[in-house]
Amino acid sequence: MPEPTTAGDSVPEPTTAGDPGSGRDAILRAARRAFTQRPYADVTIRGIAADAGVSPSLVVKHFGRKEELFNTVADFGPAAAELFDAPLDALGRHMVVTLVRRRRELQTDPLLRVVFSLGNRDERSLLRDRFHGQVTDALAARLPGPEPALRAELVAGHLLGLGATLSLHRDGAGAEATPEHIADLYAPALQTLITG
């Protein structure tokens, strides 16, 4: 029986060896579900492959061993680089538009997987540590003015809240709204925290 999907993930279609790009994306979605829902020791390459609809050998071909796949799942650096790639005076809007577009393009949220690691004490704590360093600390380093760490944590909370809301209301009004319209409504609060 397939794993239930987490927020921001959709059930991947089975893929074939002739479709390596989709196979890689499906593997990543399945790995994110597995590593955030179960203890590290309980996760297997075979189980991830079954959930992704691919062979275990394709998982190994793309990512190597389980430890390497986990490190890929626990890496928020590329998502943070994309989310923060704008001047400070336009960063709030950029983050909202980028997050919504990436969710729609990849059928997964670039940050939300960290929420499912909360309360666990095994290797999933690495997800939280990486999120803190690669997202919250990286943003705090860019923020001018007082209390940059607190403001960065609040911005991260807003982004996670947006991802959770869009997942919760998957077929709601947000699904019909353009990323730009969502940013019109949501980004001003983020921008206030960014610029102080």
Side-chain angles (χ1 to χ4, degrees):
M1 175 179 240
E3 288 289 318
T5 59
T6 59
D9 287 339
S10 65
V11 178
E13 293 296 318
T15 56
T16 64
D19 188 11
S22 296
R24 189 176 199 285
D25 294 342
I27 292 164
L28 275 176
R29 286 192 298 269
R32 286 174 179 151
R33 284 191 293 271
F35 286 124
T36 57
Q37 292 176 350
R38 295 193 303 273
Y40 179 87
D42 293 349
V43 175
T44 65
I45 293 288
R46 188 173 304 279
I48 290 168
D51 188 26
V54 301
S55 69
S57 63
L58 188 61
V59 176
V60 173
K61 176 183 175 185
H62 282 302
F63 297 100
R65 299 173 311 165
K66 181 170 86 167
E67 299 84 57
E68 295 163 313
L69 179 54
F70 179 81
N71 280 328
T72 300
V73 167
D75 186 5
F76 292 95
E82 188 175 12
L83 285 169
F84 302 158
D85 187 24
L88 283 179
D89 62 349
L91 188 56
R93 182 173 187 79
H94 172 79
M95 287 192 292
V96 173
V97 169
T98 301
L99 185 135
V100 175
R101 282 187 181 152
R102 296 303 283 162
R103 284 178 56 86
R104 291 178 181 176
E105 290 167 7
L106 301 177
Q107 299 180 346
T108 188
D109 190 282
L111 302 177
L112 199 55
R113 66 189 178 271
V114 74
V115 172
F116 297 94
S117 69
L118 300 178
N120 297 306
R121 295 185 179 180
D122 62 7
E123 289 87 347
R124 287 173 286 183
S125 65
L126 179 61
L127 283 170
R128 296 188 299 276
D129 294 343
R130 290 255 180 101
F131 184 90
H132 187 77
Q134 294 175 331
V135 177
T136 312
D137 288 349
L139 179 58
R142 288 194 62 195
L143 297 182
E147 301 183 289
L150 175 58
R151 289 170 31 232
E153 288 175 7
L154 294 173
V155 168
H158 274 277
L159 293 173
L160 292 171
L162 177 59
T165 297
L166 294 173
S167 294
L168 180 64
H169 302 289
R170 192 178 305 273
D171 298 321
E176 301 297 321
T178 66
E180 292 76 15
H181 183 57
I182 293 171
D184 290 342
L185 299 171
Y186 204 82
L190 286 175
Q191 195 61 46
T192 298
L193 289 166
I194 290 165
T195 56

